[in-house]
Amino acid sequence: MTAPLDVLVVGAGPTGLALATQLRAYDTPFRIVDRSLDRARESRAPAIQPRTLEMLAGFGVTDDLVERGSTAVRLHLHLPRRELQVPVFDVGCEDTPYPFLLFLPQSETEAVLTARLAARDVTVERGTELVSTEREGGYVRCRLRCPDGSQETVRARYVVGCDGAHSTVRTQAGIAFEGHAYPQTFFLADLEVEGLEPGAAHTYMTAAGMLFFFPLGTPATWRMIAMRPPGLRGGEVTLSLLQQLVDDWTTDRAWHDDHRLILRDPVWMTAFRIHNRGATHYRNGPFFLAGDAAHIHSPAGGQGMNTGIQDALNLGWKLAHVCRGASPESLLETYEAERAPVGHGVRRLTDRAFTLGTSGNPALRLARTHLAPRLAPLLLRTTRPRARLFRTVSELGIHYRRGPASTTGPHRPRQGPRAGDRLPDVPPGLHQHTAAPGYHLLLTGPAHLPSAVPAGGRHDLLSVHHLGTDSPWPDVTHALVRPDGYVGYVARGDDLTGLRTYLERWLPGLVL
């Protein structure tokens, strides 16, 4: 039996790879296994939200992702007898260095993360399957089936299930997965399309449902998603079938033949069902769930992969701190308290969007075909609703204000982010101060505030930055930014008593 691990990561999709990347940044002993022999080659999840790009930036992968992807910022909304060019990410994005939705195939996202791990001497153990687990003292005995059919037993303090909707870890942990499947079936394809304006996303809204084309670049120019029309029998997904569907759903707009969309050169085509399900708990003892193992839902809004990666980056630093003895075990209890509400919210939001876009209810069909063409231009003139929608979809609006690791000192700052909020990149470049692993203490105002942290066994996990007046807070403020970029503690004034209390709870041994 090999030496015990701190963490066994099961599943090497984007969620598991992101978790492994963060654990490696803290030099936490771990292994990452996946029963698939190779990473995803299909595009699958094609969109990366601004908040995900922010959180990955500190690991040196975001620039590579952006370079490989398409930063489309326009949406063409095709309505009956009307086409609207909808500006997206033009409002509500002033505080992020990534004011765009990045279209990039999941296969490329996995390739970038895998390469980053390889550069740090981490090997993803492909073809290795978790067979069973058994708790033994302070460890979990995990039986693994290796690619050659042999079996290996490893011990780990914690096991994290990033292994998808049919999670073995979730089953072994005895956590229920509740929800339902939608009755509709969908078509998905990566292919070439003649007749679409490049550099934009296209949505066709019809009485029968909605048709989407997203710019990919690779392995094909376009990703197509469409609902199987009611009454259409099952069977193999073919290019001619998809072409017929596109013809049926676009010709009722009085288009001429030269505007017909022509599909060709498919790289990948499939049919799939959509579920809305969630784990009843994100943790059971030494077992944790993240990504699709914890929540699955409609792809509306491009939330799924992003929520999973952010699950991982919420959990990874907490595991690292606890495993090295820098933080108490109670820090791990904050994972479910913070991420479960986010998962529930995403499931609720995507369910509403999915129902509005696909329901056969006569009232909703009328809304798609008659009300939407009339109301859409009016809604586009109002910036506040669009800004709020952007903050939601981009996941920049996620906060943990009610979480147990978010504390406001005796005097709350009059402006700026609150405890539990994401730290905005205001002024531009502020995120660079907090990119390195560990906590970051931001001090604004006069220079007499402490500029150094005496060694107390944890000084390598806390950096201090004097921002002066060049900060999100206009007054004298001290704020502690967590390793995942959220404000853990904030107070106005130069009395650090509350900050010391916060650190004594979550990072004991460090003395200010």
Side-chain angles (χ1 to χ4, degrees):
M1 184 181 299
T2 58
L5 304 169
D6 279 344
V7 183
L8 176 66
V9 181
V10 182
T15 298
L17 293 171
L19 176 60
T21 300
Q22 191 175 52
L23 292 173
R24 183 65 184 89
Y26 285 91
D27 294 324
T28 303
F30 75 95
R31 288 171 62 178
I32 177 170
V33 302
D34 194 297
R35 62 187 174 189
S36 299
L37 292 173
D38 197 2
R39 61 179 173 83
R41 296 297 177 180
E42 305 86 5
S43 58
R44 297 187 184 178
I48 306 179
Q49 300 290 353
R51 181 57 184 147
T52 303
L53 294 172
E54 288 182 353
M55 295 183 73
L56 289 172
F59 306 111
V61 298
T62 294
D63 288 345
D64 289 342
L65 294 171
V66 173
E67 183 178 353
R68 295 189 185 207
S70 170
T71 57
V73 294
R74 291 179 294 115
L75 169 65
H76 286 206
L77 182 59
H78 302 265
L79 300 166
R81 297 169 298 280
R82 169 173 283 181
E83 178 181 341
L84 298 175
Q85 294 193 26
V86 182
V88 292
F89 291 25
D90 63 324
V91 292
C93 58
E94 299 81 8
D95 63 351
T96 178
Y98 308 103
F100 48 78
L101 179 64
L102 181 69
F103 287 100
L104 183 69
Q106 179 178 324
S107 56
E108 292 294 298
T109 301
E110 292 185 12
V112 169
L113 290 170
T114 301
R116 177 59 180 169
L117 287 170
R120 299 294 307 275
D121 299 320
V122 175
T123 300
V124 178
E125 301 178 45
R126 296 283 179 184
T128 302
E129 180 180 4
L130 176 66
V131 177
S132 65
T133 62
E134 181 181 355
R135 300 191 196 190
E136 181 182 76
Y139 292 92
V140 179
R141 288 174 58 94
C142 303
R143 190 154 55 91
L144 305 177
R145 181 179 294 116
C146 303
D148 61 1
S150 64
Q151 294 195 358
E152 175 189 5
T153 299
V154 300
R155 290 186 297 161
R157 290 180 62 181
Y158 302 102
V159 179
V160 184
C162 306
D163 47 346
H166 303 287
S167 171
T168 300
V169 174
R170 190 181 62 237
T171 301
Q172 293 288 316
I175 300 174
F177 201 46
E178 298 179 347
H180 64 277
Y182 294 103
Q184 299 91 341
T185 300
F186 287 80
F187 297 131
L188 183 150
D190 295 341
L191 37 61
E192 304 301 320
V193 183
E194 297 179 9
L196 280 181
E197 180 178 335
H202 296 262
T203 299
Y204 293 80
M205 188 175 292
T206 74
M210 299 181 73
L211 172 66
F212 300 93
F213 290 97
F214 301 111
L216 283 180
T218 181
T221 304
W222 296 99
R223 151 67 60 87
M224 171 184 167
I225 302 177
M227 188 176 74
R228 181 190 293 271
L232 181 66
R233 295 182 179 180
E236 181 182 359
V237 181
T238 64
L239 184 62
S240 60
L241 185 150
L242 297 181
Q243 183 68 64
Q244 183 61 53
L245 183 150
V246 169
D247 290 343
D248 291 344
W249 283 19
T250 59
T251 53
D252 62 355
R253 289 166 175 72
W255 282 19
H256 299 293
D257 289 342
D258 58 347
H259 288 107
R260 180 174 179 248
L261 301 183
I262 305 297
L263 311 183
R264 60 177 176 82
D265 302 331
V267 174
W268 183 49
M269 299 182 292
T270 190
F272 66 99
R273 295 278 302 277
I274 293 175
H275 295 249
N276 188 307
R277 301 184 187 277
T280 53
H281 295 285
Y282 283 26
R283 179 192 186 186
N284 184 4
F287 298 97
F288 293 85
L289 303 177
D292 286 356
H295 43 72
I296 55 173
H297 42 78
S298 159
Q303 303 290 288
M305 181 185 70
N306 293 275
T307 305
I309 290 175
Q310 293 177 43
D311 286 344
L313 299 183
N314 179 289
L315 177 61
W317 67 272
K318 297 175 180 178
L319 286 169
H321 282 202
V322 171
C323 287
R324 71 178 291 181
S327 295
E329 173 79 16
S330 57
L331 180 63
L332 298 178
E333 298 173 5
T334 68
Y335 171 63
E336 179 171 341
E338 292 178 346
R339 293 306 298 175
V342 174
H344 295 158
V346 170
R347 290 178 58 203
R348 183 169 57 250
L349 173 68
T350 56
D351 180 66
R352 291 173 179 172
F354 180 88
T355 300
L356 178 63
T358 64
S359 175
N361 180 285
L364 294 180
R365 289 170 63 97
L366 179 67
R368 290 197 296 266
T369 55
H370 293 82
L371 295 182
R374 293 176 172 84
L375 295 179
L378 300 176
L379 293 175
L380 292 177
R381 298 191 192 113
T382 59
T383 58
R384 182 172 296 181
R386 286 198 294 117
R388 180 175 296 180
L389 179 62
F390 165 80
R391 302 296 290 186
T392 299
V393 173
S394 67
E395 302 193 342
L396 295 174
I398 291 173
H399 64 80
Y400 308 130
R401 291 177 183 172
R402 298 180 182 178
S406 301
T407 303
T408 302
H411 302 289
R412 180 175 137 187
R414 287 182 285 263
Q415 298 180 39
R418 298 161 58 181
D421 285 357
R422 153 195 168 269
L423 180 73
D425 192 42
V426 175
L430 179 61
H431 280 187
Q432 296 177 13
H433 289 286
T434 60
Y439 286 89
H440 296 268
L441 179 58
L442 306 183
L443 304 175
T444 72
H448 70 267
L449 288 171
S451 60
V453 179
R458 303 288 179 262
H459 62 285
D460 59 325
L461 293 179
L462 176 63
S463 302
V464 181
H465 310 275
H466 273 278
L467 302 181
T469 58
D470 195 20
S471 82
W473 299 276
D475 43 21
V476 178
T477 298
H478 52 283
L480 188 69
V481 180
R482 307 180 341 176
D484 56 357
Y486 289 86
V487 178
Y489 177 89
V490 65
R492 180 162 47 93
D494 57 6
D495 182 358
L496 304 184
T497 302
L499 175 62
R500 292 189 180 99
T501 301
Y502 183 92
L503 289 172
E504 287 172 3
R505 180 180 181 185
W506 300 115
L507 206 61
L510 187 146
V511 180
L512 284 178

